Amino acid sequence: MTEIEILTKQTEDAYQWVHNLIDTIPSEKWDELPEIVASNVTWQVGHLVISIYYHSVMAIVGHQQDILEQLPMRDYTKLFSFGTVAKNSIGKMNPNQLEAHLKIIEARSIAVITALPIESLPTDLEPTKMPHPIANTKFEAISWNVKHTMWHCGQIALIKRVIDKPYDNGIRRT
């Protein structure tokens, strides 16, 4: 397997984990804000929309005009960027729309990764207004996207446990 194939597989797996989790949470509970976590599913999914775009699309190939025309990315940034407060997202987004937007960004992310020439992985990131907090190269940014996505899967799983029930990932109990 090439590095591109490994990064693609890891990315696809992380995205599948997100959907395995959010698909089990009733949409009417997405805005619930448990005090112990101070976050909700709405914020987590909205944050993944902008973070996946940033880490594995914009930092890799630059802004994508068609995505900016399809999705209200400025609204997403105001509601879901690092440092925003989850309570401000309550009632602002429809869970079905959020999930649809997440799928659009995930598909573009996979398309960008699979189209990359392997020799571009160690090259510098595309210039952005905000320097990447972790990565200097395209490989590092894509790798961080996987880790960051799984980090938020953990948060979503914790929120699910509090507002609904623990996630059953198919582990058999004796």
Side-chain angles (χ1 to χ4, degrees):
M1 272 186 134
T2 68
E3 289 173 300
I4 296 290
E5 291 168 330
I6 292 167
L7 288 170
T8 301
K9 174 74 170 117
Q10 290 176 339
T11 302
E12 289 170 339
D13 289 349
Y15 297 167
Q16 187 59 54
W17 269 100
V18 170
H19 291 281
N20 289 349
L21 282 163
I22 65 176
D23 290 350
T24 67
I25 303 170
S27 59
E28 63 272 7
K29 292 187 174 191
W30 278 36
D31 276 346
E32 286 188 28
L33 189 65
E35 277 187 43
I36 196 162
V37 183
S39 188
N40 58 26
V41 178
T42 297
W43 190 90
Q44 293 290 322
V45 174
H47 180 71
L48 284 172
V49 169
I50 62 168
S51 66
I52 290 169
Y53 179 73
Y54 178 76
H55 298 301
S56 67
V57 177
M58 188 175 77
I60 307 304
V61 293
H63 273 298
Q64 302 292 289
Q65 196 57 41
D66 63 319
I67 294 288
L68 298 176
E69 290 168 3
Q70 275 184 291
L71 278 63
M73 294 304 279
R74 287 179 197 244
D75 294 340
Y76 274 92
T77 301
K78 288 176 188 170
L79 290 171
F80 306 116
S81 60
F82 182 78
T84 60
V85 181
K87 71 178 181 178
N88 294 339
S89 69
I90 295 173
K92 300 273 177 30
M93 300 298 277
N94 173 297
N96 294 329
Q97 185 83 31
L98 267 172
E99 190 168 6
H101 289 173
L102 180 61
K103 287 178 180 179
I104 290 168
I105 294 297
E106 290 168 340
R108 180 57 58 86
S109 167
I110 296 297
V112 165
I113 296 167
T114 58
L116 278 177
I118 199 159
E119 58 273 5
S120 72
L121 288 176
T123 64
D124 290 343
L125 299 172
E126 293 296 312
T128 59
K129 287 182 184 177
M130 183 178 83
H132 198 286
I134 302 295
N136 293 312
T137 68
K138 292 177 182 184
F139 176 87
E140 292 169 344
I142 296 167
S143 179
W144 172 249
N145 181 62
V146 173
K147 296 167 185 136
H148 181 261
T149 300
M150 290 305 294
W151 173 275
H152 284 281
C153 279
Q155 292 182 31
I156 294 167
L158 177 61
I159 293 166
K160 177 179 172 42
R161 175 179 287 273
V162 175
I163 66 169
D164 188 41
K165 59 187 174 191
Y167 176 66
D168 176 10
N169 63 356
I171 297 174
R172 293 179 188 241
R173 300 173 205 261
T174 57

